[in-house]
Amino acid sequence: MSWFTKALSSTIGRKLLVAITGLFLCSFLVVHLIGNLQLFSNDEGVAFNAYTYFMTHNPLIRAMEIILLIGFVLHIYEAWTLSRRNQSARSVKYAVNKLEENSAWSSRNMGLLGTVIFIFLLVHLYNFYFKLKFGELGLDAAGNKNLYAITIEAFSHWWYVALYVISMIALALHLIHGFQSAFQTLGLNHKKYTPAIKAFGYFFSIVVCAGFAAMPLYFFFLY
Amino acid sequence: MAGNNPNSTPMNLTLKVWRQKNANTPGQLVTYKVNEISPDMSFLEMFDVLNEDLLRQGQEPIAFDHDCREGICGMCSMYINGRAHGPEKGTTTCQLHMRKFKDGDTIVVEPWRANAFTVHKDLSVDRSALDRIQQAGGYVSVNTGGVPDANEIPIPKSIADKAFDAATCIQCGACVAACKNASAMLFLSAKVSQLAMLPQGKVERKTRVENMLAQHDAEGFGSCTNIGSCAAECPVGISLENIAMLNREYIMAKATSDNIG
C-alpha cells in the first residue's frame, strides 16, 4: 500500500472520508430540497417537470450524479467498515452500561439511523428515479415527462407518507450528530466557531428534514 | 446530588463483582453483602473491608488495581454501575466516596472492557497497550548535550497551560472503558497534543502522530465517532479539542512527512 491508501485506511483516515463525503451529501440535500420546492408551486407540475427534464439532461448534472453515487458508496462503505472494527474492539460486553448518562442517543446510533436512511433511499430511488428512467410516464402540458403525477400518486398512500416522515426524522437525528461531528473530524474545533457550527448544524438538520417531510404531508393532506 | 447520604449512618450494600481467575478462564458476576460501610469511606476502602471479610472467611480476596489512592496514578479501574470510575464526574474510583450511594443499594462492579486490554484477574486489567502507544512516539528525543537553562525557550502562558491540561492525562484508560467503540483516541490525543504544542515536541511531531496512531490501530482499539463519552468520564477533564488537534496533526503529518512507506 502507498502512504496515501495507508493513511486513508487508518482509523482517522476512514473517518475523514466519512466526514468529507458526509458534508458533500449535505450539499446534495440542499440542492435536492431547493429543486423539489417547486412541487409546492400551483401549476399542475409544469415547473417541477421542466426542472426534472433539466436535471436528467444537463451533462454537468449527469457527471455530478456519478460523483454523488461515489459519495454515497464511500460514505456507507467507510462507515460500515469502521462500525465493524468498532464492534469487534469489545467482545465481552458490560453487564451494566449507562452510556445514556454520558452521551446522546443519536451519536451512538449513527449506524442504525444510517441503515433506516439507506432503506428509505432504495425505496425512494425505485419509486422516482427508476420509474423516471425506465418506466412509462405520461407527458404534461409542456410535453415533459410527468414525474409530478407519479409524486401525487405515491403520496396518496398513508403508509408511503409515514415511511417518508419517519425516514426524515431519522435523517434529522443522523445530521444533528453528523454535521458538527464532521467538523470535529476535520480538526476544526475552536471555542470561537464550534458553538456556531453546532447551532447551525442543528438548524440545518431540522430545516432540511422538515422541508422534505413537508412534501408528502402536503400532497396527502392538502392537495 | 441524587443518592447522596448526607448523614454518617453506616450503610449496608449488595455488591455484584466480576470474578475471573485469570485471563484464560471465563468470569462471572458474584454477589457479596457488605455491612456497616461508612459514607466517608472511599470506594476502594469499601473493597478493603470486603476483602478482609473474604479473608476471614477463608475466601480468595478480590483483585483490583490501585496505588496512590489520591487520583494521580491512574491505576484504579472499576466500571461501577455502568460508568467508568462510577457516577461522580471528574473523579477516579479512589476519589469516589460511599456517600454517593444509598443504604440498600446494589452496585455492579466490572473491569474495563476492551479487547486491547486483558483482564489479569477479577477487576485487575492489563492496560499496557496504552504504554506501547506512548512508547511509539510519546516522548521528546534529547540525544546529547548538557541540560538547557530553564525558560531558555519562550513558551506563551496560554500554550503552556493548554499543554499542561493535556499532560494531566493519567493514562487510566477510562476513555477506552467508556467509549462505545473501545477507542483510545482521547488518551492518544492528549499525548499527541501535549507535545505538539510545545517547541521541544514540535521537532518530532510528524513521526510521532504517525507512529502513535499506527500503534493505536495495531493494538485493536476502535475508532473515534465523536460521541463524547470519553471526555464526560475522564477523571481529569481531557477535552475533545485534543481529538480535533490529533486529527489535524495526523492530516498534516500524512500530507507533508517524509515517510512514504
Side-chain angles (χ1 to χ4, degrees), chain A residues 1-3 6-13 15-16 82 85-86 88-99 101-104 107-109 177 180-182 184-191, chain B residues 29 79 81-83 108 110-115 176-182 185 213 217 220-229 232-233 240-241 243-244 246-248 250-251 254 259-261:
Chain A
M1 280 195 289
S2 78
W3 66 270
K6 238 185 215 171
L8 290 183
S9 54
S10 71
T11 47
I12 293 183
K15 76 170 188 166
L16 260 174
L82 276 181
R85 181 196 167 96
N86 293 344
S88 65
R90 179 176 289 128
S91 308
V92 184
K93 309 288 179 210
Y94 292 106
V96 180
N97 202 5
K98 293 187 184 152
L99 291 175
E101 290 180 9
N102 59 33
S103 55
S107 73
R108 298 192 307 271
N109 291 281
H177 176 70
Q180 52 93 14
S181 177
Q184 164 80 3
T185 296
L186 289 165
L188 303 167
N189 183 333
H190 194 280
K191 57 186 170 189
Chain B
L29 286 171
Y79 213 74
N81 277 348
R83 302 280 300 274
V108 180
E110 298 172 82
W112 283 174
R113 299 277 188 214
N115 290 6
V176 179
C179 177
K180 169 181 169 281
N181 310 324
M185 287 283 178
L213 183 75
D217 290 2
F221 291 106
S223 85
C224 171
T225 51
N226 303 329
I227 291 165
S229 298
E233 299 292 4
L240 290 176
E241 280 178 43
I243 297 187
L246 167 70
N247 296 339
R248 281 202 300 279
Y250 185 73
I251 297 165
K254 278 295 170 192
N259 172 22
I260 54 164

Side-chain angles (χ1 to χ4, degrees), chain B residues 138-207:
Chain B
Y139 50 78
V140 172
S141 304
V142 180
N143 296 322
T144 185
V147 181
D149 284 343
N151 300 325
E152 192 182 12
I153 305 167
I155 301 167
K157 173 83 166 71
S158 61
I159 299 291
D161 285 351
K162 271 194 168 175
F164 187 83
D165 285 346
T168 54
C169 169
I170 53 175
Q171 205 175 319
C172 65
C175 46
V176 179
C179 177
K180 169 181 169 281
N181 310 324
S183 172
M185 287 283 178
L186 192 69
F187 158 77
L188 169 61
S189 71
K191 302 301 174 191
V192 164
S193 12
Q194 175 205 337
L195 296 173
M197 278 185 265
L198 298 173
Q200 297 92 331
K202 282 192 200 298
V203 180
E204 292 162 296
R205 68 195 293 183
K206 292 177 189 172
T207 48

